[in-house]
Amino acid sequence: MNRKTLDKLAVFGGKPAFLQPLHVGTPNIGDKQRLFERLEDILNRRILTNRGPMVQEFEQRIAELVGVRHCIAMSNGTVALEIATRAIGFKGEVIAPSMTFVATAHALQWQQITPVFCDIKPGGHHLDPARIKELVTPRTTGVLPVNLWGRPCDIDAILSVADSYELPVVFDSAHAFGCSYKGKMIGSFGRAEIFSFHATKFINSFEGGAVVTNDDDLAETVRLMQNFGFEGRDRVGHVGINGKMTEIEAAMGLTSLESMDQFVEHNQQNYHCYKEGLKRIPGVELVEYDERERCNYQYIVVEIDERITSVSCNEMLEVLSAENIDARRYFFPGCHRMEPYRSYFPNAGILLGNTENLLGRVLALPTGTAITIEDVHKITGLISLLSESGRAVGMRLRARSSRSNRLAKEVLADA
Ligand code: T4K
């Protein structure tokens, strides 16, 4: 790419490719009219929360779709994790990946349970079952794997290792609603699983989450704990919390569910368009879905190999951001490098070689129903341009940043 073409990039003063920012996680919105009708019902009924009819219907629909006996709708996915792990009796130490959103670790630490970070598989993004046994101690009470990006982890192998130590497994399936593993819906594995229905998720209820399980006793405990531990009007049997989903959230959830097929179709088209647009770009590898399974395609994730692209993940982010493409470095720098875990386990990285190697190279790109095929073409076109002229772009960005560092030093020296 010659200098003139480079000048067209917004990062070097050109016009941004998009007038408005394109986000990772712009909400999927279903039929607004249906939502308004439900809102009308809620207001007329004057039951706004405390497991009203909308929440009950939402729970039933989720349980049916997943194929489990129980769904307990929650205020969000984090509280769902906290309650599920508490109700099972997790304490002491729990084995979990660091390659996840920090809520996975926080849900444990919030209850004084130590997350013991386990590395991911070489070349993968998910917990490595082969590494679990080296982390089991007498204090270990469970395993908390994550079905990251809606792609299942090695569920059978994890359950088998955990079983050999009699450790219960709770799956963090925050991303994986509507996805399957070996033909069976995610949500039906382990003692329990959780979903998130946050605004940025495939199916959203503004904020929201759920615990799903086939264990009747566990479901009962989760339900009680979610409602302050009340077992009747005047009797409390557990330390509980307020983890309830509201009626309006359930109304949004139900409305989202009705459009689930359209959301999948839209996401799938975007995914195929990304796949086509990125396939010949050296150093940019799309994390692929197994299309023999059910997928929600809600995350478009690429791995950048800087040795080939000559621009780092960070530089790519800077260039895309200037074009109004708000890509995200999920989940950099890893839970083990965030507080309080960084202070508790300053050397955790030594055991997390695959995680450390991956975290600096991952970018999530915008998708969802707010992103069109034309948007995706533009995004992949830009990435292609970037990779063709990675060396020149990288040099120019680095020259600019060292110029501005020099300038800042001169200003400081003059002050
Ligand atoms: N486990 C895992 C593996 C998780 O990924 C998460 C949550 C949880 C557990 C816990 O579930 P929740 O307690 O959240 O239910 C977001 C979400 O807040 C979080 O739910 C999610 N995972 C995580 C992966 O992403 P941020 O801070 O990266 O994104 P946020 O909220 O800034 O949204 C991204 C972009 O989406 C925004 O820049 C703009 C756009 N957006 C967002 C919202 C909320 C909109 O256009 N409209 C909106 O209403 O955390």
Side-chain angles (χ1 to χ4, degrees):
M1 199 196 288
N2 60 33
R3 194 193 160 87
K4 242 180 161 165
T5 322
L6 271 193
D7 282 345
K8 286 193 180 144
L9 288 174
V11 76
F12 300 130
K15 206 167 114 244
F18 297 95
L19 290 176
Q20 301 292 331
L22 262 58
H23 297 292
V24 171
T26 304
N28 295 330
I29 306 287
D31 182 343
K32 289 183 193 167
Q33 201 46 48
R34 278 298 289 139
L35 179 64
F36 297 149
E37 284 162 18
R38 289 191 161 108
L39 181 55
E40 183 81 25
D41 280 356
I42 292 170
L43 298 178
N44 290 341
R45 212 178 322 168
R46 292 178 191 255
I47 295 184
L48 308 185
T49 183
N50 286 6
R51 199 157 182 261
M54 291 280 171
V55 167
Q56 291 182 41
E57 191 185 339
F58 184 61
E59 290 181 338
Q60 198 185 332
R61 290 281 294 123
I62 298 288
E64 277 165 16
L65 278 160
V66 174
V68 285
R69 278 214 295 281
H70 306 278
C71 167
I72 302 101
M74 294 278 172
S75 49
N76 57 63
T78 310
V79 168
L81 268 176
E82 286 170 5
I83 295 182
T85 52
R86 192 182 187 99
I88 290 178
F90 280 15
K91 50 185 186 304
E93 295 173 0
V94 167
I95 297 167
S98 171
M99 177 65 194
T100 180
F101 188 55
V102 75
T104 314
H106 280 353
L108 298 169
Q109 191 62 48
W110 190 257
Q111 309 177 69
Q112 317 303 321
I113 301 168
T114 305
V116 174
F117 295 121
C118 181
D119 207 2
I120 51 175
K121 281 174 123 175
H125 288 214
H126 296 78
L127 193 82
D128 185 351
R131 302 293 298 276
I132 292 178
K133 57 175 180 283
E134 51 193 73
L135 302 174
V136 176
T137 74
R139 281 170 51 76
T140 311
T141 58
V143 185
L144 180 50
V146 180
N147 288 314
L148 201 72
W149 320 130
R151 295 162 79 239
C153 52
D154 203 341
I155 292 179
D156 282 346
I158 291 172
L159 286 174
S160 154
V161 184
D163 202 39
S164 68
Y165 291 94
E166 295 183 358
L167 294 171
V169 179
V170 173
F171 288 97
D172 178 340
S173 302
H175 301 176
F177 181 71
C179 305
S180 68
Y181 170 73
K182 296 190 176 171
K184 198 172 158 202
M185 295 309 281
I186 290 181
S188 53
F189 299 95
R191 278 289 291 287
E193 301 205 25
I194 73 96
F195 295 123
S196 166
F197 300 117
H198 180 256
T200 54
K201 296 297 183 296
F202 163 60
I203 291 294
N204 86 82
S205 58
F206 299 130
E207 286 274 1
V211 176
V212 282
T213 180
N214 280 315
D215 182 325
D216 301 343
D217 294 338
L218 179 65
E220 177 63 10
T221 311
V222 167
R223 222 179 254 302
L224 298 176
M225 281 186 169
Q226 177 208 43
N227 185 28
F228 312 100
F230 273 110
E231 288 177 346
R233 272 220 167 153
D234 308 315
R235 207 176 58 245
V236 168
H238 295 279
V239 175
I241 196 168
N242 182 353
K244 289 170 289 176
M245 177 179 271
T246 64
E247 286 290 275
I248 189 159
E249 287 168 335
M252 181 64 172
L254 283 167
T255 309
S256 300
L257 284 177
E258 282 163 2
S259 298
M260 184 164 154
D261 291 346
Q262 287 105 285
F263 295 166
V264 175
E265 200 184 320
H266 191 107
N267 278 356
Q268 191 179 18
Q269 276 169 8
N270 280 356
Y271 167 73
H272 286 151
C273 189
Y274 269 115
K275 196 168 164 183
E276 188 56 33
L278 296 173
K279 80 176 177 205
R280 275 181 220 93
I281 306 184
V284 179
E285 201 175 317
L286 180 69
V287 175
E288 295 193 10
Y289 290 96
D290 178 351
E291 299 210 54
R292 292 165 303 180
E293 299 285 354
R294 288 186 64 176
C295 310
N296 64 30
Y297 305 93
Q298 181 73 2
Y299 288 93
I300 297 292
V301 178
V302 290
E303 286 179 30
I304 310 294
D305 186 341
E306 184 180 345
R307 291 165 307 183
I308 301 174
T309 55
S310 302
V311 276
S312 68
C313 209
N314 244 350
E315 288 165 342
M316 202 165 276
L317 197 74
E318 189 181 345
V319 173
L320 294 177
S321 163
E323 304 291 347
N324 263 330
I325 303 163
D326 187 16
R328 301 292 294 264
R329 296 190 74 181
Y330 284 153
F331 288 104
F332 185 80
C335 296
H336 67 290
R337 288 188 176 271
M338 296 175 178
E339 290 298 351
Y341 316 106
R342 189 173 57 171
S343 299
Y344 291 167
F345 320 109
N347 299 320
I350 295 171
L351 289 176
L352 299 171
N354 298 328
T355 307
E356 294 243 302
N357 178 34
L358 179 72
L359 277 163
R361 303 195 286 117
V362 169
L363 273 188
L365 299 171
T367 190
T369 51
I371 307 295
T372 64
I373 292 285
E374 290 70 39
D375 295 336
V376 178
H377 281 308
K378 259 187 178 174
I379 295 170
T380 55
L382 257 160
I383 295 176
S384 168
L385 209 78
L386 246 176
S387 107
E388 276 164 30
S389 41
R391 190 176 288 276
V393 173
M395 274 166 50
R396 200 157 154 184
L397 285 173
R398 288 186 280 271
R400 194 175 68 173
S401 109
S402 60
R403 245 193 335 268
S404 58
N405 281 347
R406 223 176 23 244
L407 235 132
K409 273 191 198 142
E410 282 168 16
V411 171
L412 276 175
D414 284 351

